[in-house]
Amino acid sequence: FLHHDGIKERLFDAILPSEEGWPLKFEKASFDILYYFFEKLLATGGSLVVESPFLSTRDTAIFRKFQEQYHPNVVQILCTADPKKLSVRLVERHNTKERHPVHFDPTRKTLPAKKHLIDIKGEPYIFDTTDLDQIDYTPIYGLVEKYL
């Protein structure tokens, strides 16, 4: 299981940024590393899960390249929620001591851009996380089992 945040946190701990603009630099560096490992694992022909706040504008081309080169089965899960609930969660996450400091961007004043499915071949699933107590993971388990 590869996840963007794990890479980003390790980069932060190793480098300890001090210059202005570091959030965007870490974002780019952690995606570069994520895609490096992603491609290496695809080349082995094995199964893997990659988690990240992917953006269709930034990530579609690289996913298409990987699909053309390695022909993986893709299940794309897009998590959504009510924007007001997301705002509350964002504030709560930033106020917890458990949240790694690399995830705090002092320049961010709004929610991240709305996410959209990446325009690639594969099975899409939109997953509403507005009410965390009512989430049914069964459809996601079914999709993952279908392709493993």
Side-chain angles (χ1 to χ4, degrees):
F1 172 65
L2 298 175
H3 64 106
H4 172 255
D5 284 351
I7 293 168
K8 192 172 175 180
E9 290 167 8
R10 279 150 190 82
L11 283 171
F12 181 94
D13 291 343
I15 299 170
L16 292 174
S18 59
E19 65 187 67
E20 203 170 302
W22 66 264
L24 292 177
K25 290 179 181 178
F26 267 76
E27 190 77 4
K28 182 183 179 333
S30 57
F31 270 104
D32 289 348
I33 294 167
L34 176 74
Y35 281 131
Y36 171 79
F37 286 117
F38 187 13
E39 184 171 21
K40 293 298 180 191
L41 290 168
L42 282 173
T44 70
S47 297
L48 68 143
V49 174
V50 181
E51 181 279 333
S52 179
F54 295 115
L55 295 174
S56 58
T57 54
R58 179 192 60 213
D59 301 306
T60 297
I62 190 96
F63 270 88
R64 285 181 179 171
K65 174 189 163 207
F66 290 163
Q67 283 190 313
E68 289 171 16
Q69 191 167 356
Y70 302 107
H71 311 286
N73 292 319
V74 175
V75 175
Q76 185 177 175
I77 301 169
L78 175 66
C79 296
T80 64
D82 175 80
K84 290 178 184 173
K85 292 246 184 189
L86 284 177
S87 292
V88 170
R89 288 181 197 160
L90 183 67
V91 169
E92 288 174 350
R93 286 170 56 181
H94 283 306
N95 291 333
T96 180
K97 299 259 189 268
E98 296 170 12
R99 190 78 173 147
H100 194 282
V102 77
H103 302 292
F104 178 72
D105 179 353
T107 64
R108 176 174 277 164
K109 305 292 185 225
T110 61
L111 284 172
K114 183 177 180 185
K115 306 294 186 253
H116 300 278
L117 290 166
I118 298 172
D119 186 17
I120 56 172
K121 297 174 191 167
E123 193 157 349
Y125 184 78
I126 297 177
F127 189 59
D128 187 347
T129 64
T130 299
D131 187 347
L132 296 174
D133 294 327
Q134 299 298 315
I135 292 177
D136 178 12
Y137 293 96
T138 307
I140 291 176
Y141 295 149
L143 282 171
V144 172
E145 287 176 355
K146 180 177 175 180
Y147 293 103
L148 287 181

